[in-house]
Amino acid sequence: MSEETRSDVYAELAAVGPYGVRPGHALITMVEPHPGHEYAYNRWYEDDHYYAGAMAMPWMYAGRRWVATRDLQLLRYPEKSAIAQPVTAGCYISTYWITDGRYDDHMRWTVAINKRLNRDARVYQDRTHVFTAFQDHEVTVYRDGAAGPRDFHALDHPYAGLVVEVVDAESAGQRAELLEWLRSRHLPKRVAGSPAAMVTVFRPTPLPGDRMTYVKQVEGVETRLTLLWFLEADPRDCWEAYFADLEAPVREAGLGRVELVAPFVPTVPGTDKYVDRLR
C-alpha cells in the first residue's frame, strides 16, 4: 500500500512549509444548478463533492456552504451586476479557508483531483459557475475587537447568515485606496452595533491555465475585492437597517462600484432543506 499511494512522502511533506491556522487564502464559489436538477445537485455536492473535491484536500482546513432561497435572491443588488446575470443567479455559495502560504501546494492537488473526479464521472455537469475564484486574504475587521471568534473560526462558528459583497475599483491603484478606506474607515464604523461579527476582505487570484474548462477565468484580478460579512442574525431580519444601502458609501467615497450584494443562510448538511424554496 505504501508504494501504491506513496505514503512515505507524506512524512516528508509534513516536516516542511507553513502550517499555521490563518486563512491566507479562500475558495469562494457561487453556483446555479440548472432548473430541474436542484435536488440531484444538492445531494451530489453534499454527499460527495464537498468532501472529495474540497475538504479532503491538503491545506483546505475549513468550509461552509450557504444557500439563497428565492426571497433572499430578490434582496440582491445592483440589478445590473457584473457578477451575476441575472443578479438572482447563483443560489448556492461555498466558502473554504486555505492555510496561509499553501496556495500553490493546494492548487496542484485541486487541479489534479478535479481532473480525476471528472474522469471518473464524479462531477455534476448540470450547473453553472456564476462566481468562482480562489482569493487571497487582505484584512479582517472585527466588531468586538479581540473578543469573540476569529476569522479562522468563521466557517465553523454557527453564524446565522452571510452577506457577500463584491466591489470593483477602476484600477489597481484605486483598489489599494479602496482597501485602506474599508480597513480604517468604512468597515469599523459599519460593523459597530450591527449583527455582523466580522467582515473578511479578499482579492481574487487568477486560476491556473490547466483549470477545468467549465470554470471560467477569474475577472478583476487587479481591481476587485470580495467582502464576506458573517452575521449573528438572519439577513432577512436586518437587511433594511444594515445592508440595503451598501452601494452608497462606496459611491460617495469615489473609490469603486458595488457589483453584488447577496445574502445567504447556512445549509443544513445531509438534508435537502431549502431546496424546494430556490425558485
Side-chain angles (χ1 to χ4, degrees):
M1 180 63 70
S2 175
E3 181 178 345
E4 179 185 336
T5 64
R6 301 177 65 186
S7 60
D8 54 319
V9 179
Y10 283 75
E12 297 177 31
L13 295 175
V16 297
Y19 68 121
V21 299
R22 180 175 176 270
H25 322 276
L27 170 60
I28 302 170
T29 174
M30 188 166 75
V31 173
E32 178 73 12
H34 295 171
H37 292 264
E38 295 85 357
Y39 282 92
Y41 168 79
N42 190 54
R43 291 274 44 87
W44 163 76
Y45 200 97
E46 290 198 346
D47 296 347
D48 189 15
H49 199 63
Y50 178 83
Y51 301 103
M55 295 303 298
M57 296 193 202
W59 307 113
M60 182 171 271
Y61 68 88
R64 175 153 289 186
R65 191 163 176 248
W66 314 80
V67 61
T69 51
R70 187 61 181 171
D71 58 337
L72 288 167
Q73 295 167 33
L74 294 174
L75 294 175
R76 295 181 182 181
Y77 61 90
E79 183 178 353
K80 293 184 178 180
S81 167
I83 306 300
Q85 301 89 30
V87 72
T88 52
C91 54
Y92 284 106
I93 195 165
S94 297
T95 50
Y96 302 97
W97 291 167
I98 299 166
T99 302
D100 191 22
R102 289 294 191 171
Y103 177 78
D104 291 341
D105 297 335
H106 175 78
M107 285 304 299
R108 294 187 70 175
W109 188 286
T110 192
V111 168
I113 203 69
N114 276 286
K115 286 182 178 179
R116 182 182 181 187
L117 290 168
N118 198 56
R119 185 175 66 244
D120 294 344
R122 286 174 63 183
V123 174
Y124 198 86
Q125 302 295 342
D126 291 297
R127 92 280 197 221
T128 299
H129 280 266
V130 176
F131 177 62
T132 292
F134 285 87
Q135 313 225 8
D136 286 344
H137 179 257
E138 286 285 6
V139 68
T140 300
V141 174
Y142 296 100
R143 181 191 60 200
D144 303 324
R150 304 290 87 190
D151 50 15
F152 48 83
H153 300 124
L155 304 184
D156 295 305
H157 187 79
Y159 285 114
L162 176 76
V163 174
V164 179
E165 179 183 6
V166 180
V167 186
D168 280 346
E170 293 293 338
S171 65
Q174 190 184 61
R175 184 174 70 176
E177 291 182 60
L178 171 65
L179 178 62
E180 183 53 36
W181 175 76
L182 289 168
R183 180 203 321 261
S184 61
R185 297 179 60 189
H186 176 62
L187 293 180
K189 181 172 65 176
R190 198 79 185 201
V191 299
S194 82
M198 72 176 80
V199 188
T200 59
V201 183
F202 292 88
R203 58 177 172 84
T205 60
L207 287 168
D210 55 354
R211 70 190 185 282
M212 301 309 294
T213 56
Y214 51 77
V215 181
K216 66 181 181 180
Q217 186 53 271
V218 176
E219 299 172 348
V221 170
E222 299 294 329
T223 57
R224 182 165 288 171
L225 292 174
T226 304
L227 288 69
L228 303 180
W229 302 70
F230 291 92
L231 311 186
E232 295 177 330
D234 187 308
R236 286 164 285 220
D237 297 337
C238 55
W239 191 254
E240 289 301 321
Y242 293 102
F243 298 103
D245 68 338
L246 288 179
E247 278 185 300
V250 176
R251 183 172 57 249
E252 290 165 7
L255 294 174
R257 63 192 180 279
V258 171
E259 292 289 3
L260 181 69
V261 178
F264 295 85
V265 293
T267 61
V268 181
T271 76
D272 289 321
K273 188 173 183 179
Y274 303 120
V275 178
D276 60 349
R277 294 167 55 189
L278 301 178
R279 307 301 181 196

